[in-house]
């Protein structure tokens, strides 16, 4: 029991506190602060995906989450909404109850459904890091971008005749968060499509000579080409000449904290012109970049798979007695040194590049992946000693020289992202049969730094 005087003191201190304790996010925070009403108008009725944190200001885990959550909000600016509800505020208590909040913080991802005002709401159970949050939200950004080909572009252009059409010509097979966000901003006002560089009739029809290019077709006017930076605000400004964006267009993704970066990821990678760096498949992983300053709306570039062109480089990376698991794409011969690889090979490389990129962005460990060009004489030896096809086919193998096994990717008709990713995940889990490497296959150790790697990782 406290003495009477202390009780009085406590009582008067409590009385001095504001009835509704202040939230943990300041006015300047990139996190949008909500109550029940604004949840309805800004989140439930939005065409955007949102993540909403239900918290109490006194909760330690909520305070711990704050920096990561604000960083996620910065990285998702212009792409999705990041919001918070202070459940300690009397006004919000019934709402937090209705939302089934039982502990703090509770994070929910709210994704628009076909029925306006009736979004899908799911608990976010992932890691409480900015990157994990961003990845989960980006995965759920609605995709209203038509992926058009030479076959169906004209038909698409003929639909909703009165509506302007924006066409992004790109080397990418994936639909980036940026273009998805633009399609959401102009949903119902400008139709958006994406056409790959290999759709040569369409590319020619619009006279596109560089990728990416954004072309807008409006009425009978000459198509207009956007030549600015591939960033949300300037593209939005350009598109506004043709139609007004929707009420909840989220605007510029540049937050005050966003600093210009040295490298410009919006330019296509120069490294391997023969090899498209993104796969055909859906499933862009993330817009978040490593640093908090990173501008997430810049189109992420998937770095190409590195190649090992000499037997020595292959041996030192993957085929000595210390080497742990490597994934190797043995590439077929090309008719001339500079001519393009067959499409199976470019598909395989772009799927592998995308998988490596996903893991890099999520910060999860993945074995190194290399392309082995046919000019690497070790490539032919590998094929012969492992009994693989002749050199006109692409073959993907995983090899662990230290443990003396290899596995071959056997779905030779499908080099898409999903199929290869499934195979790689199985290896990561240590699943599936392994073949023994032939005797004498692995180079003898030289004085080399030992590498430690578990047999497999958790997914
Ligand atoms: C959502 O998209 C529709 C078009 O499908 C548009 O009319 C509406 O204004 C958008 N909603 C908001 C809140 O921007």
């Amino acid at each position: 029991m406290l003495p009477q005087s202390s009780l009085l003191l406590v009582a008067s201190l409590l009385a001095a506190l504001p009835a509704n304790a202040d939230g943990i996010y300041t006015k300047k925070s990139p996190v949008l602060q909500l109550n029940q009403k604004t949840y309805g108008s800004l989140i439930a009725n939005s065409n955007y995906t949102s993540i909403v944190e239900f918290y109490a200001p006194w909760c330690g885990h909520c305070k711990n989450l704050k920096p990561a959550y604000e960083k996620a909000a910065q990285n998702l600016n212009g792409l999705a909404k990041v919001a918070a509800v202070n459940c300690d505020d009397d006004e919000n208590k019934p709402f937090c109850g209705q939302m089934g909040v039982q502990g703090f913080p509770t994070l929910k991802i709210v994704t628009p459904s076909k029925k306006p005002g009736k979004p899908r709401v799911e608990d976010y159970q992932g890691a409480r890091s900015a990157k994990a949050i961003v990845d989960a939200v980006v995965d759920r950004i609605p995709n209203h971008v038509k992926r058009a080909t030479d076959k169906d572009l004209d038909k698409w252009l003929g639909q909703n005749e009165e509506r302007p059409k924006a066409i992004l010509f790109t080397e990418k097979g994936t639909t980036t968060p940026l273009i998805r966000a633009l399609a959401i901003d102009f949903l119902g006002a400008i139709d958006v499509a994406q056409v790959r560089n290999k759709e040569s009739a369409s590319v020619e029809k619009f006279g596109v000579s560089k990728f990416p290019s954004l072309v807008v077709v409006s009425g009978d006017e000459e198509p207009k080409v956007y030549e600015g930076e591939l960033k949300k605000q300037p593209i939005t400004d350009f598109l506004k000449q043709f139609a007004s964006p929707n009420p909840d267009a989220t605007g510029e993704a540049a937050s005050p904290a966003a600093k210009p970066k040295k490298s410009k990821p919006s330019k296509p990678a120069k490294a391997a012109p023969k090899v498209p760096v993104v796969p055909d498949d859906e499933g862009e992983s993330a817009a978040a970049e490593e640093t908090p300053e990173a501008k997430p709306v810049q189109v992420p570039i998937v770095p190409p798979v590195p190649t090992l062109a000499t037997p020595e480089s292959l041996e030192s990376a993957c085929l000595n007695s210390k080497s742990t698991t490597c994934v190797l794409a043995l590439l077929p011969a090309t008719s001339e040194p500079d001519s393009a690889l067959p499409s199976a090979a470019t598909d395989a490389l772009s799927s592998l590049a995308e998988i490596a990129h996903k893991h890099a962005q999520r910060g999860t460990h993945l074995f190194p992946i290399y392309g082995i060009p046919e000019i690497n004489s070790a490539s032919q030896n590998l094929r012969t000693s492992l009994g693989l096809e002749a050199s006109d086919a692409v073959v993907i193998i995983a090899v662990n020289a230290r443990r003396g096994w290899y596995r071959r990717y056997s779905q030779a008709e499908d080099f898409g992202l999903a199929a290869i990713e499934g195979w790689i995940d199985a290896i990561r889990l240590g699943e599936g049969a392994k073949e023994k490497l032939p005797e004498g296959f692995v180079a003898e150790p030289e004085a080399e730094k030992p590498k430690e790697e578990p047999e497999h990782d958790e997914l």
Side-chain angles (χ1 to χ4, degrees), residues 41-42 45-48 81 116 144 163 183-189 245-249:
S41 56
L42 299 177
N45 280 302
S46 176
N47 297 322
Y48 268 93
K81 297 184 183 184
H144 300 286
R163 223 181 268 170
I184 293 169
D185 280 350
F186 289 92
L187 193 60
N246 288 323
D248 75 343

Side-chain angles (χ1 to χ4, degrees), residues 28 38 69 73 79 84 97 103 124 127 169 183 248 261-262 283 297 307 333 336 359 367 372 383 390 422 450:
K28 277 194 235 138
T38 50
Y69 202 59
L79 304 175
Y124 171 78
F169 289 89
D248 75 343
K261 282 182 65 186
K262 272 169 259 141
V297 287
T307 53
E336 280 162 47
H359 283 277
F367 350 99
I372 311 299
R383 288 183 191 259

